[in-house]
């Protein structure tokens, strides 16, 4: 008789432990989902970009020392909208930025901004 009482208690403890473990698991899943929908802390804004305010300043600062009207290394001129646009629409600009010219940019965000501008048709906005 005594034995049955003990094993009932054991069964209850096991059930409580299982319930606690499952609850902890369920809560941790919920937390994961909440984290996933939050924007990353250093999110890169690729929406509010224009040629005049975003693209032109990056290229002037990072690229024109080697790609301008006076210095055209690799035969590439990136001075002024018309030259930048033709490089963008031919695919040369993106190819270069995915390859050997990547290191001249500050970070991935600058690359994403230029790519977003090219993807919207490289407008003079
Ligand atoms: C220190 C000099 C220097 C800087 C700064 C520089 N480039 Fe270049 N770039 C070169 C040289 C040299 C070549 C030719 C050899 C090569 O393609 O690697 C070239 C070639 C290119 C080409 C032509 C590639 C082709 O296939 O015809 C493009 C486009 C280009 N660069 C874009 C850029 C962009 C965009 C930046 C700024 C983020 C930049 N470059 C910064 C030196 C530079």
């Amino acid at each position: 008789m005594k034995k049955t009482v003990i094993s009932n208690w054991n069964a209850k403890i096991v059930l409580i432990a299982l319930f606690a473990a499952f609850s902890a698991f369920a809560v941790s899943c919920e937390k994961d989902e909440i984290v996933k929908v939050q924007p990353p802390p250093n999110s890169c804004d690729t929406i509010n970009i224009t040629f005049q305010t975003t693209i032109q300043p990056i290229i002037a600062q990072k690229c024109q020392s080697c790609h301008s009207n006076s210095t055209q290394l690799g035969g590439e001129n990136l001075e002024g909208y018309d030259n930048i646009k033709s490089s963008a629409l031919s695919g040369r600009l993106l190819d270069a930025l995915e390859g050997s010219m990547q290191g001249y940019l500050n970070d991935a965000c600058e690359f994403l901004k230029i790519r977003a501008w090219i993807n919207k048709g490289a407008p003079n906005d």
Side-chain angles (χ1 to χ4, degrees):
M1 193 62 190
K2 214 181 178 189
K3 256 191 181 173
T4 323
V5 171
I6 289 170
S7 70
N8 268 346
W9 268 110
N10 280 346
K12 276 181 190 164
I13 287 165
V14 166
L15 276 178
I16 290 166
L18 278 176
F19 179 73
F22 178 75
S23 307
F25 176 71
V27 168
S28 79
C29 285
E30 224 173 278
K31 273 186 188 159
D32 282 351
E33 268 172 45
I34 291 167
V35 168
K36 264 182 210 155
V37 296
Q38 278 174 345
N42 299 314
S43 62
C44 180
D45 183 0
T46 57
I47 305 294
N48 300 305
I49 51 163
T50 67
F51 176 74
Q52 298 296 335
T53 63
T54 322
I55 308 306
Q56 157 71 28
I58 295 174
I59 301 219
Q61 240 189 312
K62 313 283 162 57
C63 317
Q64 281 175 9
S65 57
C66 297
H67 302 292
S68 66
N69 290 333
S70 51
T71 308
Q72 304 183 10
L73 296 185
E76 192 73 18
N77 184 349
L78 295 175
E79 186 168 337
Y81 172 71
D82 287 340
N83 287 323
I84 297 171
K85 177 185 144 195
S86 87
S87 184
L89 296 185
S90 72
R92 286 197 315 277
L93 188 58
L94 210 55
D95 279 353
L97 288 174
E98 284 171 344
S100 57
M101 300 295 128
Q102 198 175 63
Y104 294 115
L105 294 177
N106 269 356
D107 50 33
C109 186
E110 286 188 341
F111 171 79
L112 293 174
K113 285 176 173 178
I114 294 172
R115 192 179 64 179
W117 173 73
I118 295 172
N119 283 342
K120 66 175 177 170
N124 190 2
D125 53 3

